[in-house]
Each structure stands twice: as C-alpha cells, then as structure tokens.
Amino acid sequence: MDVTVIIPNYNGKHLLKTCLDSIKAQSRADFVTMVIDNGSTDGSAEYIRREYPWVKLVERDRNYGFCNAVNTGIHMSETGYVLLLNNDTEADKDFVKELYHAITRDRRIFSVSSKMINYHHRELMDDAGDMYSIIGWQFQRGVGREEKYYQAPAAVFSSCAGAAIYRREIFERIGYFDENHFAYLEDMDIGYRAKIYGYRNLFCPSAVVYHVGSATSGSKYNEFKVRHSSRNSVYLNYKNMPLIQLILNFPALVSGWLVKWLFFVKIGFGTTYIKGLLEGFCTLNRVKKVPFCKRHVKNYIMLEIELIRNLFLYIYEFMRRKFHD
C-alpha cells in the first residue's frame, strides 16, 4: 500500500501503547508509521524510540497544534495517501487496509472517514463522518447511537481527521490544513474546500477504530476548546462562502451562534464563547478565502442545498437518539 499513517502526539505517552500496538498488528503492514511529537514533556519521544523503533519519529520543540503537526507529516510523507490518526485510538486489524481500499475506488474521492466507536462503550458510535449545517453547527453522524445502525457506506460532508485517509495530491490543489485553526473544525474546513473543488468525502463502515475522545484537551468542554471552536466557526464560514452566500446565510448563522451561546451560558462558558466569536471576527485578515471560480458555481449551489438538508438531518438524528435509542 502507498500509505503513511500520521499520528500527532502531545503528552500522550499513556495512550501510545494501545495506539501503536494496534497499528503494528494491522493485517497489512506495508505502510509507513510517523509520529509527530509536539514538544511533549512526559517522555513520549524517549518511549517511542525505545519501544517502537520502527516508527518514524519527528520531534518538535513545542506544541504547534494539530494542524501544524499533520501538515508537517503530510509534507514529509512520500506516499500517495496519508492516514491521520489520533493517539487516543485503538485500530481494528483491518483498519488501514479498509480505508485504503475505499479511497482508491475513485480518483474524485478526497477523504474517507472511518467508523469511530466509543472506546469505553463499544456498542455505541463516536463518529460516522461529520456533517455541517446552514446555522454553522458541525455534528458527528451517529454519535451516542448503537453502532449497528451504521453498517452502510455513505457520503459525508467531511471526514473526521481523528481517523481518516486522504489523497495527498489533492492538498496541492485545495491547500493544506489551516494552521490558523490550531485545532478544532480544521477537518470540516478542509472537507468543505474539497467539496468546493468537486471532490467527495465518504464514510467507510468496515474501517473500525475505537476512540477515547478529548484525551489531549482533557474534557468535552473547557475554555481552550470552546474559545477555539467558536473562533474557528467564524473562520470556516468566512473562508469557504462567497460574499453572496455569506449574506444569504448570515441570519441563519447568527441564530446558530445565539443558540450555542445560550447553551454555553448554561454550562458556564458563555463569556468564553463570545470571546472566541469576537476573536474570529477581529482576526479575519489572518485567513485566506477560497478563491471564487465560476466553474465551481454548481458546487456552491449543491453545497447550499446540502447545508440546508443537514440542518433537518441534525434535528432528525437528535430526535431519534432522544426518543428511540
């Protein structure tokens, strides 16, 4: 296989054994494994050199964030495909093989998302590909539902970069992960860009990985995560939507931000959320908009339809999970 597995790591020594042992046990072993260590202070690098000498270790002097780490790995790789994998995962033995087979079926496929299952509750889904809606909300397909409901391949808005494979040559055309994001929504941004250019993102149910979740950030909600996510939601829409689409969708986006703010007020992060939004609007000059191209008009129209449809899909999945599972 023509694959490099790229694993970003920051103070994740306690997670590495499970992750790297599962990679070593893959049914197909003809791929490169690379760990990008973001200046860990817990002995991660020393542990990898000692216990996993077959891993290509790249040591950074500090934590440059997820986006910079994976971009470094992508640039250093010499394979046609790169597989990004979080360190808080355990891969099924056919994980790499199944993702590779899925992405090589069609040259228009940019990425393939795996079937991510809750590490501690293995009957429940963690992610079956990510979706994005017109109100600016990202959501994970299937999160919290029984994994038996997600047995079929499907088109998704974006792949979750915690366990997904990408066609490397397409990065040269659409750009790499936006390092202004540092972390959070960077995978939605790259998936959005790919769709603007007419590429596809898919979900592969036969590529299974078990995911702990929030192992590096420490919790589902914290100040770092809330601030970066809200800031990056501003970047995401500004970058990928032409002006006319931004104007058209702005009322929906404002309503989405308002509801999210009310939610975060309830759990004690309302001020942090507002600070993130303000930071996003005040630093728009940092990010580069996707150049508008007339030949992509059809893709923009299809994306707008998908954004509207995904709002109803979110409501449907929420109600189904709440009342039927």
Side-chain angles (χ1 to χ4, degrees), residues 12-277:
K13 179 182 176 182
H14 60 294
L15 303 165
L16 291 172
K17 178 175 173 54
T18 298
C19 179
L20 292 176
D21 283 354
S22 70
I23 290 300
K24 187 176 182 179
Q26 291 295 296
S27 58
R28 289 285 300 270
D30 47 345
F31 57 87
V32 178
T33 302
M34 182 186 302
V35 172
I36 311 295
D37 187 73
N38 261 338
S40 294
T41 57
D42 66 346
S44 289
E46 295 83 355
Y47 176 71
I48 294 170
R49 280 197 297 268
R50 183 178 69 249
E51 301 294 335
Y52 301 94
W54 48 272
V55 170
K56 185 175 182 179
L57 176 63
V58 181
E59 296 183 66
R60 319 300 302 284
D61 59 344
R62 62 182 176 87
N63 184 7
Y64 290 92
F66 177 87
C67 298
N68 181 280
V70 297
N71 282 346
T72 297
I74 295 168
H75 284 297
M76 292 183 67
S77 66
E78 299 177 349
T79 54
Y81 304 92
V82 291
L83 195 163
L84 307 186
L85 184 65
N86 281 2
N87 60 0
D88 60 340
T89 56
E90 179 184 352
D92 175 78
K93 64 180 178 64
D94 294 323
F95 170 71
V96 177
K97 180 181 72 174
E98 292 297 326
L99 283 180
Y100 175 75
H101 286 169
I103 198 169
T104 54
R105 289 171 184 160
D106 185 343
R107 293 192 62 82
R108 301 301 296 176
I109 300 173
F110 168 59
S111 71
V112 179
S113 198
S114 65
K115 184 176 187 176
M116 301 180 75
I117 296 175
N118 188 302
Y119 184 88
H120 299 292
H121 302 279
R122 299 196 173 196
E123 74 284 2
L124 299 179
M125 286 294 304
D126 185 70
D127 193 293
D130 292 343
M131 309 300 275
Y132 195 61
S133 69
I134 195 168
I135 60 174
W137 289 9
Q138 175 211 24
F139 62 98
Q140 301 157 264
R141 282 181 73 239
V143 62
R145 298 199 72 219
E146 292 185 41
E147 64 89 17
K148 66 183 181 182
Y149 294 119
Y150 295 87
Q151 304 295 336
V156 294
F157 196 92
S158 176
S159 295
C160 174
I165 194 169
Y166 297 83
R167 191 179 299 271
R168 192 167 67 92
E169 66 182 3
I170 295 176
F171 286 107
E172 293 293 333
R173 183 179 184 198
I174 70 173
Y176 291 78
F177 286 90
D178 187 346
E179 295 179 17
N180 290 294
H181 281 232
F182 192 84
Y184 306 116
L185 293 180
E186 72 290 327
D187 45 7
M188 185 62 66
D189 171 60
I190 198 80
Y192 200 140
R193 267 184 278 150
K195 292 175 76 69
I196 290 172
Y197 282 81
Y199 295 106
R200 302 163 61 204
N201 304 301
L202 303 178
F203 163 66
C204 176
S206 57
V208 176
V209 65
Y210 303 97
H211 183 220
V212 175
S214 301
T216 298
S217 63
S219 60
K220 185 175 182 180
Y221 299 114
N222 54 63
E223 287 201 10
F224 177 87
K225 190 171 184 178
V226 171
R227 181 172 66 86
H228 278 75
S229 295
S230 59
R231 182 198 65 183
N232 293 347
S233 70
V234 177
Y235 290 168
L236 174 64
N237 293 290
Y238 171 74
K239 288 175 56 185
N240 293 293
M241 293 185 185
L243 180 60
I244 185 65
Q245 191 180 18
L246 275 172
I247 294 171
L248 180 66
N249 291 346
F250 194 70
L253 291 170
V254 170
S255 68
W257 289 327
L258 177 61
V259 174
K260 275 284 185 76
W261 173 69
L262 292 173
F263 169 76
F264 283 118
V265 166
K266 185 178 180 180
I267 64 173
F269 291 106
T271 301
T272 303
Y273 184 76
I274 291 296
K275 285 181 178 178
L277 289 179

Side-chain angles (χ1 to χ4, degrees), residues 303-320:
L303 275 163
E304 183 70 7
I305 293 170
E306 189 173 358
L307 291 171
I308 296 170
R309 186 191 67 196
N310 285 347
L311 175 59
F312 292 97
L313 177 62
Y314 171 81
I315 296 170
Y316 172 72
E317 287 223 348
F318 175 80
M319 299 300 288
R320 186 169 60 174

